[in-house]
Amino acid sequence: MDGRLDAAGGSGAEGAVERTLTRLRRIDSRPDPTVAPPAAPPTGAPPAPLTLADLYRDHRMRLIRLAVLLVDQPATAEDVVQEAFTGLHRHWSGLRDEAAAVAYLRTAVVNGSRSVLRRRRTAREYVAPHGVNARSAESLAMLSAEHQSVVDALGSLPPRQREVLVLRYYGGLSEAEIAEAAGISRGTVKSTASRALDTVARVLAERSGGR
């Protein structure tokens, strides 16, 4: 089944993860009421060329949530996304179109998140998450208790496994796109997803039994 993740044995967990992260994606895709929409071009005028500001307005919130799901800390996630846009500015002239720019940003966010996690391991410390920003808090508050438990279970995964599930179900990426963003093969994407979903299923079952 091309472009889909085959996670045998994890169908229940897969459905729970998909429902939860799809719900978050829909919430975070809503227009930010604090950001003014772009002005419409005059009637008959050609559309204005895409700018870095357009990408920032349209994709920043989704990228922040992606980073939050990878590194846990909203303040750190915002720094990761800011660095990704800074890198995009440096490479702007060499990008073909919006799709290439968004792919660059996703990869930069994944790599930036990995760097954060490496620094944490090197320092042998874990910093408790900062208070979430307003939109992140709104997103999480709109999740049911079941969805919250899935987000918590994702947080227990090793970084690579969490990356694959977040990119698939929150980012909506295909196997090939995940492989490109994460710098791994498509076969590794599938096997990593399978292990991750098995782990999520086990964590959810253990926590449910504990209650």
PDB file of all heavy atoms in Angstrom, residues 35 89 140 162 197:
ATOM      1  N   VAL A  35      -3.732  37.314  13.648  1.00  0.00           N
ATOM      2  CA  VAL A  35      -2.946  37.632  12.445  1.00  0.00           C
ATOM      3  C   VAL A  35      -3.888  38.091  11.338  1.00  0.00           C
ATOM      4  O   VAL A  35      -4.822  37.371  10.977  1.00  0.00           O
ATOM      5  CB  VAL A  35      -2.126  36.412  11.975  1.00  0.00           C
ATOM      6  CG1 VAL A  35      -1.370  36.735  10.692  1.00  0.00           C
ATOM      7  CG2 VAL A  35      -1.167  35.971  13.069  1.00  0.00           C
ATOM      8  N   HIS A  89      15.245  31.701   4.999  1.00  0.00           N
ATOM      9  CA  HIS A  89      15.594  33.021   4.447  1.00  0.00           C
ATOM     10  C   HIS A  89      16.945  32.963   3.723  1.00  0.00           C
ATOM     11  O   HIS A  89      17.099  33.536   2.635  1.00  0.00           O
ATOM     12  CB  HIS A  89      15.631  34.054   5.572  1.00  0.00           C
ATOM     13  CG  HIS A  89      16.073  35.416   5.139  1.00  0.00           C
ATOM     14  ND1 HIS A  89      15.291  36.237   4.354  1.00  0.00           N
ATOM     15  CD2 HIS A  89      17.228  36.097   5.352  1.00  0.00           C
ATOM     16  CE1 HIS A  89      15.928  37.361   4.117  1.00  0.00           C
ATOM     17  NE2 HIS A  89      17.107  37.302   4.705  1.00  0.00           N
ATOM     18  N   LEU A 140      -4.628  21.947  23.165  1.00  0.00           N
ATOM     19  CA  LEU A 140      -4.640  20.815  24.085  1.00  0.00           C
ATOM     20  C   LEU A 140      -5.915  20.777  24.906  1.00  0.00           C
ATOM     21  O   LEU A 140      -6.436  19.706  25.218  1.00  0.00           O
ATOM     22  CB  LEU A 140      -3.414  20.884  24.995  1.00  0.00           C
ATOM     23  CG  LEU A 140      -2.073  20.655  24.294  1.00  0.00           C
ATOM     24  CD1 LEU A 140      -0.920  20.877  25.261  1.00  0.00           C
ATOM     25  CD2 LEU A 140      -1.998  19.257  23.708  1.00  0.00           C
ATOM     26  N   ARG A 162       8.834   8.677  17.790  1.00  0.00           N
ATOM     27  CA  ARG A 162       7.890   9.780  17.911  1.00  0.00           C
ATOM     28  C   ARG A 162       7.877  10.618  16.632  1.00  0.00           C
ATOM     29  O   ARG A 162       6.825  11.027  16.152  1.00  0.00           O
ATOM     30  CB  ARG A 162       8.257  10.655  19.108  1.00  0.00           C
ATOM     31  CG  ARG A 162       7.112  11.588  19.523  1.00  0.00           C
ATOM     32  CD  ARG A 162       7.502  12.675  20.489  1.00  0.00           C
ATOM     33  NE  ARG A 162       8.344  12.237  21.596  1.00  0.00           N
ATOM     34  CZ  ARG A 162       8.610  13.021  22.634  1.00  0.00           C
ATOM     35  NH1 ARG A 162       8.077  14.225  22.731  1.00  0.00           N
ATOM     36  NH2 ARG A 162       9.408  12.609  23.603  1.00  0.00           N
ATOM     37  N   LEU A 197       3.919   2.071  17.227  1.00  0.00           N
ATOM     38  CA  LEU A 197       2.509   1.809  17.494  1.00  0.00           C
ATOM     39  C   LEU A 197       2.342   0.681  18.506  1.00  0.00           C
ATOM     40  O   LEU A 197       1.433   0.713  19.349  1.00  0.00           O
ATOM     41  CB  LEU A 197       1.771   1.494  16.197  1.00  0.00           C
ATOM     42  CG  LEU A 197       1.597   2.706  15.264  1.00  0.00           C
ATOM     43  CD1 LEU A 197       1.130   2.257  13.888  1.00  0.00           C
ATOM     44  CD2 LEU A 197       0.620   3.716  15.860  1.00  0.00           C
TER      45      LEU A 197
END
